[in-house]
Amino acid sequence: EFGLAMAVSMLLFGYLIRLGLIFLAVWLVKDTAWISFPALGSTIIITHLGLLFWEMKFVALSLAAPGLKPTGSNTST
């Protein structure tokens, strides 16, 4: 299916672009004396994982009901 392949490739390239930006940010400050690499590394890891989980919530909602706006209440009985 072309749509599935397109979605997976967009996800992969989006991840690779984000990973490249993180690598670039660390590479630019690698020779500075005022950077604490354990603090920088833990900050990058924690914020990246937090953003991924936050984004995952919205992607799951849009893929579960494409074209429909999810509601906050469950009306089935």
Side-chain angles (χ1 to χ4, degrees):
E1 180 92 20
F2 178 72
L4 181 61
M6 179 71 81
V8 170
S9 64
M10 286 173 43
L11 289 170
L12 176 65
F13 285 118
Y15 174 74
L16 290 176
I17 289 170
R18 283 184 281 202
L19 195 61
L21 288 173
I22 291 171
F23 173 77
L24 179 66
V26 172
W27 185 73
L28 288 174
V29 298
K30 69 179 169 59
D31 294 328
T32 58
W34 53 273
I35 295 291
S36 169
F37 282 103
L40 178 65
S42 60
T43 301
I44 289 173
I45 291 169
I46 290 169
T47 55
H48 196 154
L49 288 175
L51 286 172
L52 285 176
F53 280 108
W54 180 71
E55 183 181 12
M56 186 171 55
K57 178 178 122 177
F58 293 104
V59 171
L61 285 176
S62 66
L63 289 177
L68 301 175
K69 183 177 180 181
T71 61
S73 64
N74 188 0
T75 58
S76 62
T77 55

